[in-house]
Amino acid sequence: GPGATAGPAAGYDFPGQDFVRTAGSIPPLDVDDGSFSAAVTLEPDPDLSGDPFFLKLLDKNAGSGNLFLAVSTLPRAPQGSHYEIWAVFPDTLVSVGKFLYVNRRVVDVETGTEIAAFPVGSSLVDASAIRISLQNQANGPDPSGSFLLAGSLSGGDAVLATHDPLALGHVYTETTVRYILETPSTADPGDHRRGIWFYEVVEGETTGTLPLPPAPSGWKYQAWIYKVFGAPDTVSIGAFVDPLGPDEDGAGPHAGPDGPIPPFPGQDFVSGSIRNLDDGTYGVFLSLEPESDPAPASPYLRIFEDNDIDAMGPGVTQPLGSLAGTLPEGTVQAEAARVVTMRSLGGLLPRVVVSFGRK
């Protein structure tokens, strides 16, 4: 019948077995996890051994398919991080596999060898979507919540995009993202070139200049300045979730003694590490960073950028261009089925030739 490892209900009137509970040394089994094979043998009767007889008639790998992943412009995962593919079911997410993206190739996290396909079980045919997350050691085996790509499955295929509702959920094509040069932490009007902020003052009213939604769940925004020319120099000027609110470090460690500091992202460089940001060598960009960031000093995914901070005077807005056209994208093709066709091995059965003759 359904075997010693079966549940309490009766089985079907056909050969087979369930593996839903432990019996002896056999635990519950997921037979489609890619590590099992199914076979039909011809056994002697009576059968004096519990091992398979060598006359194998039919066989098939019980893992029922593969998932093929193609991605482009995927950032290199920060040190200590990796990407993970998740199949979406009504009540849960199931991991399909982990990978890194190196030199435009999907490779194994441990060995660095290229992954041609991820083995999947037959249950993937019931999945509604695919999501790809950025994981690090702090997340453990659970999804991090920092989902970068996602797409709905239809007929085993999915187009993966950052703007999918199950990923970042936004296109980031705004044309009015802008900044000013100003130093609210010092009363010296000549210091404006040593500070950069995401607000403006119009008719006496201070308003933010980042018309973006709050950072997606599992992510935060971070603003940076960097050297376009000369020695490499990329410096965070604040991380934040609300683009129309203050960032995590206020006016920063190099701010002056004055105030008040407007409640918007930005930073001053008027003490200690002094920087003249409009000297023609600096750019500025806005990135998305995972909520649990293993590399806070390194940017992850740039979404807006101006590679030339101009000397336009204090309080004059300058635009950042959208980098939406460079954001990651991908496709998934999943081969999975509930019915697995077995392979005949009849041609491999023993044969002999007997000849009769006279000397």
Side-chain angles (χ1 to χ4, degrees):
T5 51
Y12 296 106
D13 293 329
F14 304 99
Q17 183 155 334
D18 289 346
F19 296 92
V20 297
R21 67 182 181 90
T22 300
S25 62
I26 304 175
L29 301 176
D30 293 327
V31 295
D32 67 351
D33 68 1
S35 64
F36 289 97
S37 211
V40 175
T41 61
L42 194 64
E43 303 286 320
D45 185 19
D47 190 355
L48 304 180
S49 171
D51 295 328
F53 198 56
F54 74 92
L55 294 180
K56 188 184 289 187
L57 308 181
L58 301 163
D59 80 348
K60 177 68 179 182
N61 188 309
S64 58
N66 293 294
L67 181 142
F68 299 92
L69 172 68
V71 289
S72 63
T73 63
L74 194 63
R76 181 185 286 265
Q79 185 70 30
S81 298
H82 63 268
Y83 292 105
E84 191 153 357
I85 307 170
W86 303 88
V88 180
F89 295 91
D91 300 316
T92 188
L93 298 178
V94 176
S95 176
V96 174
K98 305 174 183 179
F99 69 95
L100 296 174
Y101 191 65
V102 181
N103 297 328
R104 302 181 184 179
R105 298 185 306 139
V106 174
V107 302
D108 184 85
V109 173
E110 301 295 335
T111 66
T113 56
E114 188 166 9
I115 299 174
F118 297 87
V120 295
S122 60
S123 59
L124 192 63
V125 298
D126 298 318
S128 61
I130 293 292
R131 305 173 80 179
I132 294 180
S133 67
L134 182 64
Q135 302 280 129
N136 62 58
Q137 294 176 351
N139 308 134
D142 298 322
S144 66
S146 299
F147 292 101
L148 179 63
L149 289 165
S152 298
L153 274 172
S154 177
D157 295 337
V159 176
L160 306 179
T162 57
H163 61 259
D164 189 275
L166 295 179
L168 301 180
H170 191 71
V171 292
Y172 293 109
T173 54
E174 285 80 0
T175 60
T176 54
V177 174
R178 55 203 189 280
Y179 63 95
I180 64 170
L181 297 182
E182 191 58 273
T183 51
S185 70
T186 173
D188 186 349
D191 279 347
H192 72 275
R193 61 202 305 243
R194 295 175 178 171
I196 183 167
W197 291 82
F198 295 94
Y199 73 88
E200 63 182 339
V201 180
V202 179
E203 297 180 353
E205 186 170 342
T206 304
T207 58
T209 56
L210 292 176
L212 305 172
S217 177
W219 300 90
K220 59 185 175 181
Y221 296 114
Q222 195 157 350
W224 309 75
I225 58 168
Y226 71 104
K227 275 279 192 178
V228 180
F229 304 107
D233 184 22
T234 301
V235 180
S236 169
I237 56 174
F240 48 95
V241 173
D242 181 0
L244 299 177
D247 60 27
E248 294 175 355
D249 64 350
H254 308 294
D258 303 322
I261 304 302
F264 300 99
Q267 194 149 128
D268 286 350
F269 296 91
V270 297
S271 66
S273 180
I274 296 175
R275 289 175 168 84
N276 295 318
L277 302 177
D278 62 355
D279 66 2
T281 67
Y282 281 97
V284 57
F285 64 89
L286 188 66
S287 72
L288 276 167
E289 306 293 323
E291 194 171 54
S292 176
D293 192 352
S298 300
Y300 174 65
L301 182 68
R302 300 187 185 204
I303 53 176
F304 292 93
E305 183 173 16
D306 178 13
N307 61 12
D308 184 11
I309 299 176
D310 293 321
M312 298 181 66
V316 179
T317 59
Q318 301 186 49
L320 284 86
S322 169
L323 300 178
T326 68
L327 296 183
E329 56 188 10
T331 59
V332 158
Q333 291 181 308
E335 296 177 350
R338 290 188 177 87
V339 178
V340 179
T341 301
M342 303 189 78
R343 176 181 61 153
S344 169
L345 299 179
L348 302 179
L349 294 180
R351 65 185 66 193
V352 298
V353 175
V354 177
S355 298
F356 294 91
R358 177 182 296 180
K359 290 184 179 180

